[in-house]
Amino acid sequence: MTADEFAALCVQPGCTLRQALASLNETARGVLLVVDADRRLRRTLTDGDLRRAALRQVNDGTAIADLPGQAAITVDTDASLARVVALLDQHQIDHLPVVDEAGRVVDVMFRRELSQRIWLSSPHLGDEETAFVEDAFKTNWIAPLGPHVDGFERELAAHVGVGHGAAVSSGTAAIHLALLLLGVQPGDTVFCSSLTFVGSCNPILYCGARPVFIDCEPQTWNMSPPALASAFEWARREGRLPRAVIVVNLYGQSADMDALLPICERYGVPVLEDAAESLGALYKGRASGSFGRIGVYSFNGNKIITTSGGGMVVADDPAVVERARKLATQARETAAHYEHLEMGFNYRMSNVLAGIGRGQLRVLEQRVEQRRQVFDRYREALSDQSQVNWMPEPAGFRSTRWLTCFTMLGADARLRRDRVLRALERHSIEARPVWKPMHRQPLFRGAPFFAHADRDVSTELFETGICLPSGSNLTAGQQGRVIEQLRRALALAEDGRAAA
Ligand SMILES: *Cc1c(COP(=O)(O)O)cnc(C)c1O
């Protein structure tokens, strides 16, 4: 509902029954909000109220303020979606006015809209996945491994221009294996981007190693080269270089590899590239995920392509990938009796899921285009919003816009951001804050953190950032609903600030 549509639902108490009927007919929402001059809600007026008035043969010139009726059930602006739904159910009503701290009506919730939730990023299958999965069923090659696993590994590695790939059960498993392959041992330190999902760095703990977190830079939202340089200087002074650096590519965009890789090379420390969120992205024409000694992708359900759950380790060195496969298969030696020399894991991907992956890979480029279009539509539709600052895409970078993200500009940005998130959630739109930085997580309390010069950029982005619904299967209608609600939520957040 746009601000104009909302305004059309508001009528003055002096309005006649006839005028109200005409408004109700025109707005077709089944309800009008009877408000005073200062936007305080007097009551609601529903189709039912008018029907009852007609049955009692009330004169249609009567002012609606004089009709019998009860005080409206309302909800305040901080109410959760669950609270809204509970009130609708409890009172068996289909609409619920929203009232701000000053008692003014600012919004109205409709049951029908709430039943159509809009997701942040939902799976989007193509036409070929079923054929691959059926083939796995027909040949009874369900699990483990099998021809689709080999095919998926080959096809994905070729797609990103890396020598080899090992398909595994998740992106997190892929990172765990990659750390082991880079020789991470208990007591080692590993550098990692702080602004990321915990899946990037939980595997550091699996290895018994200790994370050191590196801030991001404002122009890419990814690892800050000056912060990385100061972390290395510190590590050298301490006489303990990290065993590896995990560079994360956030929200579909590569980190600035030309600035980061030479720093790591100077210290002889290998890079593990976490490209879980950036499959399909390019950096200076080359595939994201192909820059590290080892690269890692995820096919979790919310990623740009999915196998319902899965991951991939990629590397140019065939020995590295061969060893990843071995560790992922309980570290079995080649002997009929299952000989074991070292500890392994059950991390391999099944043949059925790899079949889904092969189908998904065929639509990857299409998905990138669709996500970029989603971003472009948001940016165009909201180009007049001076408080919205979109995640930048510097020259030479091609983001997939896996998620469309922005930060709020201006005073009280965090407060206003929280208001916007609450308003969207109330309308059953799944938007989220930007990742909470790992150096702010209780799990990693005490871990060293190196900021971008004298600014903690990841905390700034976390406190003011919003990720919008960005799925490649988001319909124009759904995106229109997000844009309308966001526009209203941004205005309300500003209003709230003025009132406060
Ligand atoms: C999703 C994700 C992971 C983990 O992948 P899973 O397949 O969910 O285990 C790791 N790092 C980042 C940045 C991610 O977004």
Side-chain angles (χ1 to χ4, degrees):
M1 192 176 45
T2 64
D4 286 348
E5 284 168 334
F6 175 71
L9 293 183
C10 296
V11 294
Q12 303 283 314
C15 152
T16 65
L17 194 50
R18 191 177 331 111
Q19 289 166 326
L21 260 169
S23 285
L24 208 49
N25 191 45
E26 213 166 284
T27 51
R29 291 281 194 159
V31 65
L32 295 176
L33 307 169
V34 184
V35 295
D36 289 338
D38 58 359
R39 286 198 2 231
R40 247 164 251 280
L41 183 68
R42 279 265 197 108
R43 60 170 293 170
T44 57
L45 197 68
T46 63
D47 281 338
D49 292 327
L50 294 184
R51 218 179 311 116
R52 282 183 288 277
L55 282 172
R56 276 186 289 103
Q57 300 184 321
V58 175
N59 184 310
D60 71 359
T62 309
I64 52 179
D66 298 333
L67 293 178
Q70 314 144 344
I73 315 291
T74 61
V75 73
D76 63 46
T77 49
D78 286 339
S80 65
L81 177 59
R83 169 94 183 124
V84 168
V85 172
L87 280 173
L88 290 172
D89 288 346
Q90 183 190 339
H91 298 281
Q92 298 192 323
I93 47 181
D94 294 320
H95 40 71
L96 192 59
V98 181
V99 171
D100 71 8
E101 298 122 58
R104 296 167 311 183
V105 58
V106 293
D107 200 359
V108 57
M109 311 295 312
F110 293 97
R111 185 190 289 276
R112 200 178 47 189
E113 180 186 274
L114 300 187
S115 65
Q116 295 157 359
R117 185 164 176 79
I118 298 179
W119 301 100
L120 188 73
S121 176
S122 67
H124 184 186
L125 293 183
D127 300 326
E128 299 191 49
E129 289 83 346
T130 333
F132 283 113
V133 172
E134 263 171 22
D135 173 77
F137 276 72
K138 267 196 220 124
T139 55
N140 198 31
W141 217 322
I142 305 300
L145 306 176
H148 288 324
V149 174
D150 300 340
F152 187 38
E153 289 176 345
R154 226 177 20 245
E155 288 157 10
L156 186 118
H159 194 97
V160 297
V162 179
H164 307 273
V168 295
S169 52
S170 71
T172 309
I175 293 171
H176 186 195
L177 291 173
L179 288 175
L180 295 170
L181 294 165
L182 294 174
V184 175
Q185 309 250 341
D188 280 347
T189 53
V190 174
F191 288 1
C192 183
S193 308
S194 185
L195 189 66
T196 186
F197 173 59
V198 73
S200 298
C201 47
N202 263 334
I204 300 174
L205 303 182
Y206 304 168
C207 296
R210 285 195 301 247
V212 170
F213 292 113
I214 315 293
D215 203 3
C216 55
E217 55 172 0
Q219 56 274 40
T220 63
W221 292 25
N222 283 315
M223 190 181 275
S224 151
L228 177 65
S230 45
F232 266 117
E233 279 153 30
W234 164 82
R236 184 172 46 196
R237 279 198 307 275
E238 298 277 308
R240 283 168 58 90
L241 286 181
R243 188 71 65 179
V245 178
I246 304 177
V247 176
V248 182
N249 304 302
L250 220 56
Y251 297 128
Q253 177 158 280
S254 175
D256 188 359
M257 294 301 173
D258 281 353
L260 296 168
L261 296 180
I263 300 173
C264 299
E265 267 158 36
R266 201 175 312 141
Y267 291 90
V269 176
V271 168
L272 192 180
E273 197 182 353
D274 179 353
E277 299 182 5
S278 65
L279 176 60
L282 300 176
Y283 175 77
K284 304 193 178 170
R286 233 176 91 185
S288 182
S290 70
F291 290 85
R293 173 91 55 90
I294 302 180
V296 157
Y297 297 104
S298 162
F299 314 110
N300 188 32
N302 63 356
K303 298 300 194 305
I304 195 157
I305 62 170
T306 182
T307 58
S308 80
M312 186 88 73
V313 176
V314 297
D316 279 324
D317 183 349
V320 164
V321 175
E322 209 29 69
R323 186 155 164 72
R325 292 198 189 106
K326 181 183 172 192
L327 288 179
T329 326
Q330 308 282 19
R332 275 173 56 183
E333 303 298 325
T334 40
H337 61 268
Y338 288 13
E339 182 83 359
H340 296 284
L341 302 177
E342 58 181 333
M343 183 176 80
F345 305 88
N346 180 6
Y347 276 172
R348 281 296 253 161
M349 181 181 277
S350 84
N351 198 47
V352 175
L353 299 193
I356 302 177
R358 293 182 88 179
Q360 285 271 276
L361 194 55
R362 298 190 180 190
V363 292
L364 172 60
E365 291 315 310
Q366 226 173 303
R367 298 294 179 258
V368 172
E369 276 310 316
Q370 286 160 329
R371 297 236 179 201
R372 288 183 61 88
Q373 276 167 20
V374 166
F375 172 80
D376 287 341
R377 284 200 296 262
Y378 278 127
R379 189 174 49 186
E380 251 160 61
L382 297 159
S383 58
D384 57 334
Q385 297 291 310
S386 58
Q387 32 172 341
V388 168
N389 186 27
W390 301 107
M391 178 177 177
E393 184 186 40
F397 291 63
R398 185 178 154 84
S399 170
T400 66
R401 298 290 183 183
W402 170 59
L403 294 184
T404 288
C405 310
F406 67 93
T407 52
M408 305 266 300
L409 296 172
D412 306 323
R414 179 172 195 173
L415 202 82
R416 287 183 293 122
R417 190 283 305 265
D418 290 344
R419 285 205 185 102
V420 169
L421 283 177
R422 275 201 301 272
L424 293 175
E425 179 53 30
R426 200 165 62 228
H427 284 277
S428 204
I429 292 171
E430 188 190 20
R432 283 182 189 272
V434 162
W435 297 124
K436 178 172 180 175
M438 292 302 123
H439 74 281
R440 306 287 304 271
Q441 299 283 0
L443 172 63
F444 297 111
R445 186 173 293 131
F449 168 69
F450 289 86
H452 178 72
D454 51 358
R455 276 171 73 187
D456 180 344
V457 176
S458 34
T459 296
E460 288 171 27
L461 295 177
F462 163 61
E463 289 185 340
T464 61
I466 292 182
C467 308
L468 292 175
S470 309
S472 45
N473 51 2
L474 195 68
T475 65
Q478 287 174 320
Q479 196 176 356
R481 204 177 112 199
V482 179
I483 290 166
E484 279 172 10
Q485 293 304 344
L486 179 59
R487 185 174 275 288
R488 300 209 56 226
L490 288 165
L492 277 180
E494 277 292 311
D495 249 26
R497 184 164 63 126

